[in-house]
Amino acid sequence: GGSTEAADIDTKSFLTHDLLHFALETEAQLSGGFFGLMASGRSFAQLNNKAPAEPAGDEARHVEQAVGVLTGMTKGTASSAEAIAMLKNLYDAYGEPMPTWLTADMLDGANERYRRLLGKWNSLTFGETLELRFGA
């Protein structure tokens, strides 16, 4: 709707996690994760459970779980096949099927997308802005 919202974040604790979210959600073409919910009109306060909102839903939970294993991939502690095996164990433990979008190829693509985003971030000089467009 053309509205905007801004927030100052501590890059040491949030940047990696947020860029992983963006990379995964755009690679998997999802609309129910953090950035998709924000694009649909949720505020930062609602997404951080600091203001009333409808529950985020299963896709947001699946995204969080996938971002967790993607973190290990970016650190080189897990391959995409190992990450999928970890997630399969988790979903099996809860008796749930894995989402169809959650594949080794998608995780590899998200990992590469994250690597490129981080490269762009690292190439900025002080005061420059990295603008991310979701769904564009």
Side-chain angles (χ1 to χ4, degrees):
S3 64
T4 62
E5 189 170 4
D8 291 324
I9 60 170
D10 174 12
T11 58
K12 289 181 183 177
S13 59
F14 288 104
L15 180 66
T16 297
H17 187 77
D18 290 347
L19 286 180
L20 285 169
H21 261 275
F22 188 82
L24 187 134
E25 292 177 43
T26 54
E27 186 68 25
Q29 300 178 351
L30 302 174
S31 60
F34 180 85
F35 283 94
L37 292 171
M38 187 182 298
S40 73
R42 298 266 182 113
S43 68
F44 284 127
Q46 290 171 323
L47 291 169
N48 290 313
N49 298 319
K50 294 182 175 62
E54 291 295 314
D58 283 342
E59 190 167 276
R61 179 174 52 87
H62 297 310
V63 167
E64 281 299 331
Q65 292 163 341
V67 165
V69 297
L70 186 57
T71 302
M73 288 177 60
T74 64
K75 293 178 179 179
T77 60
S79 68
S80 57
E82 291 166 330
I84 290 294
M86 287 185 266
L87 287 167
K88 180 153 180 21
N89 284 340
L90 177 68
Y91 282 97
D92 286 350
Y94 286 106
E96 296 180 15
M98 280 190 30
T100 57
W101 55 264
L102 194 44
T103 66
D105 286 343
M106 187 282 301
L107 288 176
D108 284 333
N111 191 24
E112 176 58 24
R113 194 178 288 249
Y114 167 77
R115 188 190 66 72
R116 289 192 313 267
L117 287 169
L118 189 60
K120 286 180 184 179
W121 172 258
N122 288 331
S123 71
L124 297 176
T125 59
F126 183 77
E128 287 186 302
T129 302
L130 175 63
E131 185 175 319
L132 303 175
R133 293 190 178 269
F134 185 81

